[in-house]
């Protein structure tokens, strides 16, 4: 299979303009004849639904929660990047593009990333017009702060709740369209499968989570905005309902899955404290602007932090990376934290933590300034740990946070399954092997507000789409399979709960396909995942009925998909015999333990094709070429 | 340092909207004080599943106090007794060994119970649909810095915009009023220049929607402010009243 990314011709800065001109248009009067199914209401889904409805399309929007406002974009803390250059510190579209390509360790498409940087400014304009209360300077103009992987300030923020405010802006726009009757909302629905009719995505099978009813919905195109798969690891910063099911079903129906081994482990999270723990909590990267990361110089030093004199502390990020210091990108920071803990210098009860210390910043700027910048984060930390970060340094450790991999899409954000578009974290497109801070919000909103409204129109105008109704046999068959699977889950009646099995799967992935990987471990993990999956279908216990609100059944369905998907992550990691970004294979590192890419063999996107339950998937390759950002060893020293 | 404690839970069980519901008593042993309240419920549920019982249904998602999914009335207080905390942020170190904890769903006419602790809060979405937004289509925004906003105004708008839509204010109010929720949105947008063109229409439409959804009126009990996990002030209710009064007298849309 040849993967055609459909990158428009012409010079890089003109590609998107030219493409928008070349895309066919749908006549305004005809737009209402098209029905679009949008799955998910995070930044990508809510912004796409609202923007498509504003154009006149009939939109059906599905979300797993009781309200669209609860999607996990709501929890993003730190900020959103844009190339406004308001601080006059040398930013430009070109520099944002450059930093993002380099930050992604040269595994993203130049054309996509350039478009993202171009659109970034319009996103800020739009969100401000919606009334998003961004932080402001004394004169009333917008404030910026710096974030990891950049040496300038280009991040817009609303305290530590930027994702919340951006999502509420998009949610407001969505609700406005719902009130106008152009969006029909389907809350508390889980998408169990994609319906393919004559080779095109034409519908979804949804489960009404309140009464278990299996519903079929038909449309002219399906837009998946279902987020990432970080919960494969069980413990992550993702919300509990975040899952891979819809994306994985799409994969099984013919959409290729790209770079599943590219997962982001975020350096600053609250450490694990018990076996009953249900999730991990992120402490925003913005804290690294003022917080200093350190460990005791002597392994096993158990003194409380205030008793360790300055001379006996190692500020290892500042020491190793003098030009970026504490603001190195996430993959680099996480690996260094792990390295310190592996050397026995970790702190706290478990030894799996390092300090993030604000004492210097509080001395320099005063407590009030620090409180204004990070008050809500400090409060969150205090509630969970019982420690006051104004008085004692935070303890932090890396945790699974974001997944750069996702369904493969072309420049139009369409997957290899025709008519299936994938937006936001659910696609693979812009972050390469490592995402920079404050780029996820930018990408989700770029996809939803400013890309899909054009490219979807181009598809609809240029593709003959015969009428399809939910009475088509493809719907009945897909719905039957989904219902059958639910009944199978209930029928096992074994001795382990879905959470218990999920936790074990997560440990296997964390240990062998986490921050640091090696071939032997990955091979072992693949065997363990296969055994665990076999045990799952023999020994899971799901109480209740499929015709009721049944949260155990919901969980079991998601875990079943993670059990299969985990193997794809491992396979992808095994095949990528290099280190890049979040994928660190111990066999490929430089003398000072940095990731060593192999551009000869792996300067490409790996996209996996499903070939049936009993066969290995096939790995396809989309070569990447770097004409504008020269391929170099990434350095933050 | 973590310890373990022993608790007695009296939990509301209700099979569905038509079921009258009842309290069930559950003894729980070995609760680590480092657990969150929801993790404690997880442990109870895991045990019930293995014993062949039906787990307790409750809404939850982000488990870090921002999505607004979780919430139950714990010992008479929505989200429990701690100030400025959602239920998922309430940790067991705030309970004592031997405590009895009563756990009920949020109760309000506008929030019918769906099952156990899960309630239907879609009325809050209907309030936002009535006008809790700025009507701006994608693509039509001016350059962001053409509209300066004094930082103290932006900060006050942010104080109101921090609402997570959990509905605890409604559950805490003796009248089951949604005034704090509604006023937070009215106030957030009324404080910003972007929200002014529609301010009159918005406040009138949202107040009408509150009545239509079956929420009660505000009679200044201030329970909402005490309970709000984001500590949103009733100052915003005062602003809603001013906005509504102004709109009622001066707006052609009244």
């Amino acid at each position: 299979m040849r993967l055609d990314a459909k990158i428009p011709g012409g010079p890089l800065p003109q590609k998107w303009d030219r493409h928008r001109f070349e895309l066919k248009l749908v006549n305004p009067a005809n737009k209402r004849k098209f029905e679009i199914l949008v799955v998910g209401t995070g930044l990508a889904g809510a912004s796409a639904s609202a923007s498509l409805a504003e154009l006149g399309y009939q939109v059906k929007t599905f979300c797993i929660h009781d309200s669209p406002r609860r999607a996990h974009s709501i929890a993003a803390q730190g900020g959103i990047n844009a190339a406004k250059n308001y601080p006059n510190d040398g930013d430009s579209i070109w520099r944002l593009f450059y930093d993002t390509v380099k930050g992604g360790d040269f595994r993203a498409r130049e054309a996509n990333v350039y478009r993202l940087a171009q659109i970034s400014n319009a996103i800020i304009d739009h969100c401000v017009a919606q009334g998003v209360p961004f932080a402001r300077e004394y004169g009333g103009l917008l404030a910026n702060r710096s974030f990891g992987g950049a040496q300038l300030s280009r991040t817009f923020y609303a305290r530590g709740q930027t994702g919340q405010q951006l999502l509420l802006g998009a949610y407001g726009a969505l609700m406005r369209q719902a009130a106008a009757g152009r969006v029909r909302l389907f809350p508390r629905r889980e998408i169990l499968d994609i319906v393919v009719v004559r080779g095109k995505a034409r519908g979804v099978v949804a489960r009404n989570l309140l009464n278990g009813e299996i519903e079929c919905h038909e449309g002219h195109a399906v837009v998946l905005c279902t987020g990432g798969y970080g919960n494969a690891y069980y413990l992550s910063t993702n919300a509990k309902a975040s899952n891979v099911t819809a994306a994985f079903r799409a994969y099984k129906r013919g959409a290729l899955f790209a770079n599943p081994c590219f997962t982001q482990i975020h350096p600053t999270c609250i450490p694990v404290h018990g076996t009953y723990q249900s999730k991990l909590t992120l402490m925003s990267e913005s804290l690294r602007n003022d917080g200093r990361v350190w460990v005791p110089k002597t392994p096993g030093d158990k003194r409380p932090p205030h008793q360790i004199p300055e001379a006996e502390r190692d500020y290892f990020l500042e020491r190793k990376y003098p030009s970026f210091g504490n603001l190195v990108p996430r993959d680099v920071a996480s690996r260094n934290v792990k390295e310190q803990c592996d050397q026995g210098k970790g702190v706290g009860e478990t030894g799996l933590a390092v300090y993030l210390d604000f004492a210097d910043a509080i001395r320099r700027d005063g407590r009030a300034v620090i409180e204004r910048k990070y008050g809500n984060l400090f409060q969150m930390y205090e509630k969970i740990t019982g420690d006051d970060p104004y008085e004692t340094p935070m303890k932090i450790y890396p945790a699974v946070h974001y997944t750069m991999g996702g369904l493969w899409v072309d420049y139009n954000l369409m997957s290899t399954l025709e008519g299936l578009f994938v937006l936001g974290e659910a696609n693979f497109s812009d972050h390469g092997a490592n995402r920079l801070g404050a780029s996820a919000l930018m990408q989700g909103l770029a996809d939803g507000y400013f890309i899909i409204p054009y490219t979807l129109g181009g598809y609809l105008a240029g593709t003959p789409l015969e009428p399809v109704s939910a009475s088509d046999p493809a719907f009945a068959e897909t719905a039957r399979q989904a219902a059958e699977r639910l009944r199978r889950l209930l029928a096992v009646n074994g001795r382990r709960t879905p959470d218990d099995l999920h936790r074990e799967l997560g440990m296997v992935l964390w240990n062998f396909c986490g921050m640091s990987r090696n071939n032997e471990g990955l091979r072992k993990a693949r065997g363990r995942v296969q055994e665990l999956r076999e045990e799952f279908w023999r020994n899971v216990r799901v109480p209740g009925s499929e015709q009721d609100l049944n949260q155990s059944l919901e969980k079991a369905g998601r875990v079943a998909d993670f059990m299969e998907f985990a193997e794809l992550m491992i396979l992808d990691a095994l095949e990528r015999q290099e280190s890049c970004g979040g994928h660190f294979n111990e066999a490929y590192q430089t003398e000072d333990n940095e990731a060593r890419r192999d551009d000869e063999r792996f300067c490409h996107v790996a996209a996996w094709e499903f070939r049936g339950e009993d066969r290995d998937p096939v790995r396809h390759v989309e070569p990447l070429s770097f004409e504008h950002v020269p391929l170099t060893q990434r350095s933050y020293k | 340092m973590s310890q373990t404690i022993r608790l007695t839970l009296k939990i509301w069980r209700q099979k569905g909207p038509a079921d009258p519901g009842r309290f069930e008593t559950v003894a729980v042993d070995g609760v680590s004080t480092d657990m969150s309240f929801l993790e404690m419920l997880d442990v109870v549920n895991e045990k019930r599943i293995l014993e062949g019982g039906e787990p307790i249904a409750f809404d939850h998602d982000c488990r870090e106090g921002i999505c607004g999914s979780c919430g139950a009335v714990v010992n008479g207080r929505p989200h429990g007794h701690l100030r400025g905390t959602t239920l998922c942020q309430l940790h067991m170190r705030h309970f004592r060994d031997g405590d009895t904890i009563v756990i009920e769903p949020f109760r309000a006419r506008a929030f019918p119970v769906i099952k156990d602790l899960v309630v239907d809060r879609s009325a809050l979405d209907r309030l936002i649909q009535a006008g809790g937004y700025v009507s701006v289509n994608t693509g039509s925004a001016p350059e962001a810095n053409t509209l300066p906003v004094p930082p103290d105004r932006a900060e006050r708008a942010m104080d109101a915009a921090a609402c997570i839509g959990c509905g605890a204010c409604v559950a805490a109010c003796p009248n089951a009023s949604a005034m704090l929720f509604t006023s937070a949105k009215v106030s957030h947008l009324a404080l910003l220049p972007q929200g002014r063109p529609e301010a009159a229409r918005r406040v009138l439409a949202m107040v009408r929607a509150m009545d239509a959804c079956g929420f009660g009126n505000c009679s200044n009990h201030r329970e909402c402010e005490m309970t709000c996990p984001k500590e949103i002030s009733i100052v915003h209710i005062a602003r809603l009243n001013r906005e509504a009064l102004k709109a009622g007298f001066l707006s052609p849309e009244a």
Side-chain angles (χ1 to χ4, degrees), chain A residues 47 50-51 54 64-72 74-75 77 84 86 121-122 124-142 158-159 161 164-165 168-169 171-173 175-179 185 187-188 210 234 237-242 273 276-282 349 372 379-380 382-386 449-450 453 494-500 503 541-545 548-552 555, chain B residues 1-2 15 32-36 38-39 42-43 45-64 66-70 82-86 89-91 93-94 114-115 118-122 124-126 128-130 132-151 154-159 161-167 181 185 188-189 192 194-195 198 229-231:
Chain A
S47 61
S51 303
E54 285 162 11
I64 205 163
H65 302 94
D66 64 327
S67 163
R69 67 182 291 154
R70 311 218 193 277
H72 196 52
I74 200 95
Q77 298 170 353
K84 287 281 194 187
Y86 288 154
N121 291 341
I124 301 303
D125 296 341
H126 185 56
C127 294
V128 166
Q130 286 176 334
V132 169
F134 283 119
R136 288 177 181 267
E137 302 290 355
Y138 287 116
L141 302 180
L142 290 155
R159 295 187 190 155
Q161 290 138 274
Q164 180 199 26
Q165 293 310 313
L168 292 181
Y171 158 78
M175 295 319 255
R176 173 172 165 243
Q177 296 305 313
L185 277 175
R188 293 200 193 262
L210 292 181
Y234 187 75
T237 65
N238 287 8
K240 295 299 285 177
S242 302
H273 55 73
Y276 45 79
Q277 186 146 6
S278 59
K279 75 144 328 202
L280 296 172
T281 301
L282 174 77
E349 274 180 60
R372 203 171 64 234
Q379 192 199 32
M380 255 167 92
E382 198 268 332
K383 280 187 202 308
I384 292 173
T385 62
Y449 281 134
F450 293 108
R495 289 189 314 275
R496 293 184 71 181
T497 64
D499 270 346
D500 182 23
R503 213 175 270 128
R541 186 184 193 107
V542 186
S545 124
D548 188 13
L549 171 62
N550 185 342
Q551 293 171 324
S552 302
K555 257 186 222 169
Chain B
M1 275 294 150
S2 67
K15 285 186 189 323
S32 159
T33 50
D34 275 346
M35 281 182 187
S36 71
L38 298 187
E39 284 167 350
D42 288 342
V43 170
N45 276 345
E46 289 286 286
K47 190 154 170 271
R48 292 178 84 87
I49 293 172
L50 294 178
E51 287 167 354
E54 171 113 356
I56 302 141
F58 61 93
D59 267 328
H60 64 98
D61 196 31
C62 76
R63 298 205 175 194
E64 51 185 89
I66 193 76
C67 75
S69 296
C70 71
L82 221 61
R83 288 290 298 271
T85 305
T86 57
Q89 292 178 301
L90 178 62
H91 278 65
R93 68 179 77 96
H94 302 290
I114 292 169
K115 184 177 181 179
V118 179
V119 299
D120 178 357
R121 287 169 293 188
S122 56
L124 298 181
D125 282 338
R126 292 197 291 280
I128 298 295
Q129 285 187 19
Y133 43 77
V134 173
S135 298
V136 50
N137 282 358
T138 307
S140 55
E143 210 294 323
N145 257 349
T146 50
L147 199 61
V149 181
E155 287 296 312
R156 274 184 290 152
M158 181 65 211
D159 289 341
C163 168
I164 59 173
C166 63
F181 172 84
K185 190 46 66 186
H188 156 212
L189 295 174
L192 295 174
Q194 297 91 321
E198 295 173 278
K230 296 296 146 185
E231 301 183 87

Side-chain angles (χ1 to χ4, degrees), chain B residues 223-237:
Chain B
E223 292 288 342
C224 53
E225 183 184 59
M226 285 295 293
T227 290
C228 175
K230 296 296 146 185
E231 301 183 87
I232 291 173
S233 158
I234 58 161
V235 161
H236 300 295
I237 296 183

Side-chain angles (χ1 to χ4, degrees), chain A residues 312-388:
Chain A
E312 293 173 42
R313 300 175 176 193
D314 180 11
Y315 295 89
F316 54 94
L317 292 177
E318 297 170 27
R319 171 173 58 78
K320 288 177 72 176
Y321 306 95
S323 59
F324 280 72
N326 292 296
L327 286 175
V328 290
R330 292 173 179 178
D331 55 336
V332 178
S334 291
R335 268 200 297 282
N336 276 282
V337 169
K338 180 178 187 297
E339 190 182 78
Q340 297 298 320
C341 293
D342 288 349
Q343 290 170 12
K345 296 179 189 166
V347 300
E349 274 180 60
T350 59
L352 290 177
V354 301
Y355 291 122
L356 179 62
D357 196 338
F358 294 89
D360 281 350
I362 292 171
R363 258 195 304 275
R364 185 183 66 228
D365 298 338
R367 180 178 163 133
V369 170
I370 297 302
E371 196 168 338
R372 203 171 64 234
K373 282 190 191 165
Y374 311 116
N376 71 313
L377 298 170
F378 279 33
Q379 192 199 32
M380 255 167 92
Y381 181 86
E382 198 268 332
K383 280 187 202 308
I384 292 173
T385 62
D387 284 345
D388 177 4

Side-chain angles (χ1 to χ4, degrees), chain A residues 228-246:
Chain A
Y229 48 85
N231 269 348
Y233 292 84
Y234 187 75
L235 283 182
S236 81
T237 65
N238 287 8
K240 295 299 285 177
S242 302
N243 68 76
V244 77
T245 291

